[in-house]
């Protein structure tokens, strides 16, 4: 493992050196400017998730947080941190080698044995292989993902809510996965790259179905999953708090996304299309920009407060803004993570705006990889304290018993089963009203965008 880690470090330095020095000295386009870079960004995002999962398991075991019991894993198929790191180091080596070959081939620093676009294709095939095999561990994972996606048809377990929360942090990764799928299916990897970027070889990314339908749906889908899970928890437990309050958090994030996607009055510049010239008035700009900023700040602060108070059980004044029975050895860990979460929460809400939306607050493309990595880091830090809080308090009643073993987990299956209760009519009515309200807000956002377009066109 140490030898392979050293190889990863050397390859990382080599890639960074070639990209930076090559673009400065030889006037080559850096790897971030290559047309297939979103493919590497998508696979790199999944690779980061694997790295962070290994670190999470390592930290939980060191701090005696029994994630196997909390997630209801089968202990016979749970990988140790060392096994996880062995796998992810091999995946990183393949990723860096293919990225280096792709850059060298595009910069004509090596013979063109195959088209440069074939290196991203090989990476996609290898990534798909890693997502499927070994079936011993990947099979249960895909079953859990299906149960997450099918919310609210199934009652979510704690692991399902954890996965759904991770999905909300992977919006940028999912966008790049969709781009990579279109890149492979369209056959664009066969075409030679134009280093001067005179012609965009991927015209499909400017089509209406991709830019205005598929990508916004990708942005909204993880939030909608988590929103449905909150409603299902309300149906199962009949507790308005914290389930409906948590659903409100995701509804606000969805509203931020919808306005950022569909409303043309966020554009702070005039732009022309084939048939219309849009000119946005200054009054409209100020009105909707102020409204969006207010909603953006409110959503970010609400999410941050929920992280600290509800997910982590911190922020208690009598415990110096922390909580009782802390399991991490240093209190400054908690203060540092709370400060980082406050900053990165704003970046997360910002990341919900789809790329190429034309909005003035849209993130530049060169910052996408950085913000994606920072959000995955924030979610990893969030997971440390989220499982600690669940270990100590059984906060949302996912377990029948409060006791969690510290050092071991057994494969014992409890003989008793949760009795199914019929959901009352008033609970179903409230869930229907809340869902209809959120869907109505979404449609109103789209209708407002269409009317604004017709008015300024």
């Amino acid at each position: 493992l140490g030898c392979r880690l050293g190889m990863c470090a050397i390859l990382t330095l080599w890639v960074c050196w070639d990209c930076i020095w090559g673009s400065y000295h030889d006037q080559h386009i850096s790897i971030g400017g290559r047309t297939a870079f979103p493919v590497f960004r998508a696979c790199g995002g999944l690779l980061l998730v694997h790295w962070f999962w290994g670190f999470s398991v390592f930290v939980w075991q060191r701090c005696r947080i029994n994630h196997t019991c909390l997630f209801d894993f089968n202990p016979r198929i749970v990988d140790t941190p060392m096994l996880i790191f062995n796998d992810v180091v091999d995946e990183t080596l393949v990723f860096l080698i293919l990225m280096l070959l792709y850059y060298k081939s595009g910069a004509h620093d090596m013979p063109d044995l195959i088209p440069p676009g074939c290196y991203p294709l090989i990476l996609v095939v290898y990534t798909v292989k890693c997502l499927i095999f070994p079936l011993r561990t990947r099979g249960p994972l895909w079953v859990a993902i299906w149960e997450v996606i099918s919310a609210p048809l199934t009652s979510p377990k704690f692991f399902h809510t954890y996965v759904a929360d991770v999905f909300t942090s992977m919006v940028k990764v999912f966008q790049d996965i969709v781009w990579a799928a279109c890149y492979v299916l369209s056959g664009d990897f066969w075409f030679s790259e134009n280093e001067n970027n005179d012609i965009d070889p991927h015209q499909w990314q400017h089509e209406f179905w991709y830019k205005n339908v598929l990508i916004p749906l990708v942005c909204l889908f993880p939030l909608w999953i988590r929103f449905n899970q909150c409603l299902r928890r309300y149906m199962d437990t009949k507790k308005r708090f914290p389930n409906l309050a948590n659903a409100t958090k995701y509804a606000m994030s969805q509203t931020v996304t919808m306005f950022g996607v569909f409303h043309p009055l966020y554009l702070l510049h005039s732009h022309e299309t084939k048939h219309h010239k849009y000119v946005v008035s200054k009054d409209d700009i100020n009105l909707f920009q102020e409204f969006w900023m207010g909603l953006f700040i409110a959503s970010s602060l609400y999410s941050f407060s929920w992280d600290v108070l509800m997910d982590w059980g911190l922020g208690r004044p009598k415990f110096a803004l922390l909580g009782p029975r802390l399991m991490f050895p240093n209190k400054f860990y908690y203060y540092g993570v709370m400060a980082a979460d406050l900053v990165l929460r704003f970046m997360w809400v910002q990341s919900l705006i789809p790329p190429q939306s034309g909005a003035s607050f849209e993130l530049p493309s060169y910052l996408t990889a950085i913000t994606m990595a920072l959000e995955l880091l924030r979610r990893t830090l969030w997971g440390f304290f989220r499982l600690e809080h669940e270990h100590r308090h059984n906060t949302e009643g996912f377990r029948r018993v409060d006791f969690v073993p510290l050092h071991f987990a057994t494969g014992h299956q409890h003989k008793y089963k949760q009795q199914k209760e019929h959901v009352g009519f008033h609970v179903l009515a409230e869930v229907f009203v809340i869902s209809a309200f959120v869907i109505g807000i979404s449609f109103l956002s789209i209708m407002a965008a269409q009317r604004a377009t017709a008015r300024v066109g």
Side-chain angles (χ1 to χ4, degrees):
L1 179 62
C3 178
R4 286 175 292 159
L5 280 173
M7 294 171 63
C8 286
I10 293 173
L11 283 173
T12 302
L13 292 174
W14 191 355
V15 170
C16 294
W17 175 263
D18 272 5
C19 293
I20 297 174
W21 179 253
S23 60
Y24 173 77
H25 183 263
D26 300 327
Q27 301 302 314
H28 292 314
I29 298 175
S30 67
I31 187 68
R34 300 289 181 188
T35 58
F37 179 67
V39 177
F40 289 91
R41 198 167 55 200
C43 298
L46 295 175
L47 191 61
L48 275 178
V49 172
H50 202 174
W51 271 107
F52 287 145
W53 174 251
F55 282 120
S56 297
V57 174
F58 175 77
V59 170
W60 290 329
Q61 289 191 358
R62 287 294 299 270
C63 297
R64 301 184 301 170
I65 298 172
N66 196 334
H67 72 286
T68 304
C69 180
L70 294 174
F71 286 151
D72 199 20
F73 285 166
N74 182 352
R76 296 180 180 86
I77 63 173
V78 173
D79 287 338
T80 64
M82 188 60 66
L83 289 175
I84 297 174
F85 287 136
N86 270 302
D87 291 340
V88 75
V89 166
D90 292 339
E91 295 165 6
T92 304
L93 282 173
V94 174
F95 175 81
L96 291 173
I97 290 172
L98 289 174
M99 176 180 282
L100 188 62
L101 290 174
Y102 173 67
Y103 175 77
K104 290 290 189 181
S105 178
H108 306 292
D109 291 339
M110 59 177 287
D112 294 334
L113 301 177
I114 59 175
C118 289
Y119 295 110
L121 176 64
I122 296 172
L123 180 61
V124 170
V125 174
Y126 178 76
T127 303
V128 172
K129 173 260 177 188
C130 293
L131 291 173
I132 298 176
F133 300 101
L135 290 175
R136 178 182 64 90
T137 56
R138 299 299 188 268
L141 174 62
W142 283 107
V143 171
I145 290 176
W146 168 249
E147 292 173 344
V148 169
I149 295 175
S150 61
L153 301 179
T154 57
S155 297
K157 300 178 182 179
F158 178 62
F159 181 63
H160 297 154
T161 62
Y162 179 86
V163 171
D165 278 321
V166 172
F167 279 177
T168 61
S169 296
M170 294 177 62
V171 171
K172 289 297 183 184
V173 180
F174 291 145
Q175 291 173 7
D176 288 333
I177 290 175
V178 170
W179 195 98
C182 294
Y183 175 80
V184 172
L185 295 176
S186 64
D188 288 353
F189 56 88
W190 287 114
F191 303 139
S192 62
E193 297 186 7
N194 183 8
E195 194 164 292
N196 294 324
N197 289 330
D198 296 331
I199 301 175
D200 187 356
H202 315 300
Q203 293 297 327
W204 44 263
Q205 66 181 347
H206 304 293
E207 297 293 334
F208 177 83
W209 62 267
Y210 178 86
K211 183 178 179 181
N212 296 96
V213 178
L214 184 58
I215 291 300
L217 286 177
V218 170
C219 295
L220 291 171
F221 190 58
L223 297 172
W224 183 250
I225 290 175
R226 195 65 186 91
F227 175 78
N228 285 333
Q229 284 184 340
C230 294
L231 296 185
R232 181 56 191 251
R233 285 294 297 168
Y234 172 52
M235 292 175 60
D236 293 341
T237 64
K238 301 182 179 63
K239 296 180 180 179
R240 292 186 177 90
F241 188 86
N243 299 305
L244 294 186
N246 201 12
T248 302
K249 178 181 70 174
Y250 297 103
M252 291 179 65
S253 299
Q254 291 179 54
T255 306
V256 171
T257 306
M258 295 296 293
F259 273 86
V261 170
F262 291 106
H263 216 293
L265 296 179
Y266 288 126
L267 305 180
L268 294 186
H269 56 275
S270 299
H271 63 283
E272 296 183 3
T273 65
K274 186 182 298 184
H275 303 289
H276 297 87
K277 179 178 180 181
Y278 299 94
V279 181
V280 184
S281 67
K282 187 175 182 180
D283 293 337
D284 287 336
I285 290 172
N286 293 335
L287 172 64
F288 286 96
Q289 187 75 3
E290 291 174 0
F291 173 79
W292 186 88
M293 286 301 298
L295 188 63
F296 172 86
I297 294 173
S299 178
S300 301
L301 292 178
Y302 190 6
S303 299
F304 168 73
S305 301
W306 192 274
D307 287 345
V308 175
L309 298 176
M310 303 300 298
D311 289 343
W312 299 343
L314 304 178
R316 307 298 191 260
K318 65 178 181 179
F319 297 106
L321 298 181
L322 298 180
R325 296 187 296 157
L326 303 178
M327 301 180 71
F328 287 90
N330 195 325
K331 293 184 178 180
F332 289 101
Y333 294 163
Y334 297 90
Y335 294 119
V337 172
M338 283 193 287
D341 188 75
L342 176 61
V343 177
L344 296 178
R345 262 299 180 182
F346 283 88
M347 296 184 66
W348 172 75
V349 177
Q350 183 87 354
S351 71
L352 296 177
I353 304 302
Q356 301 176 353
S357 63
S360 63
F361 35 78
E362 175 193 343
L363 288 174
S365 59
Y366 61 86
L367 289 179
T368 302
I370 298 176
T371 56
M372 180 178 69
L374 290 175
E375 172 54 26
L376 293 176
L377 174 62
R378 186 199 69 81
R379 181 58 65 181
T380 302
L381 298 176
W382 171 90
F384 294 161
F385 297 157
R386 178 67 186 94
L387 262 72
E388 179 206 28
H389 188 43
E390 186 66 23
H391 185 113
R392 290 185 284 116
H393 295 292
N394 189 21
T395 53
E396 297 186 22
F398 286 102
R399 305 189 308 276
R400 287 290 303 271
V401 293
D402 291 333
F403 172 74
V404 178
L406 288 176
H407 300 292
F408 62 92
T410 67
H412 176 69
Q413 299 291 331
H414 294 291
K415 295 181 179 179
Y416 56 78
K417 294 183 179 180
Q418 192 77 273
Q419 294 183 354
K420 294 184 178 180
E421 299 180 358
H422 295 287
V423 180
F425 175 77
H426 68 282
V427 175
L428 291 175
E430 289 185 23
V431 170
F432 175 78
V433 169
I434 294 171
S435 301
F437 176 76
V438 174
I439 294 174
I441 290 293
S442 302
F443 277 107
L444 285 176
S445 301
I446 300 175
M447 291 174 60
Q450 293 176 345
R451 290 191 177 185
T453 301
R455 186 174 68 250
V456 302

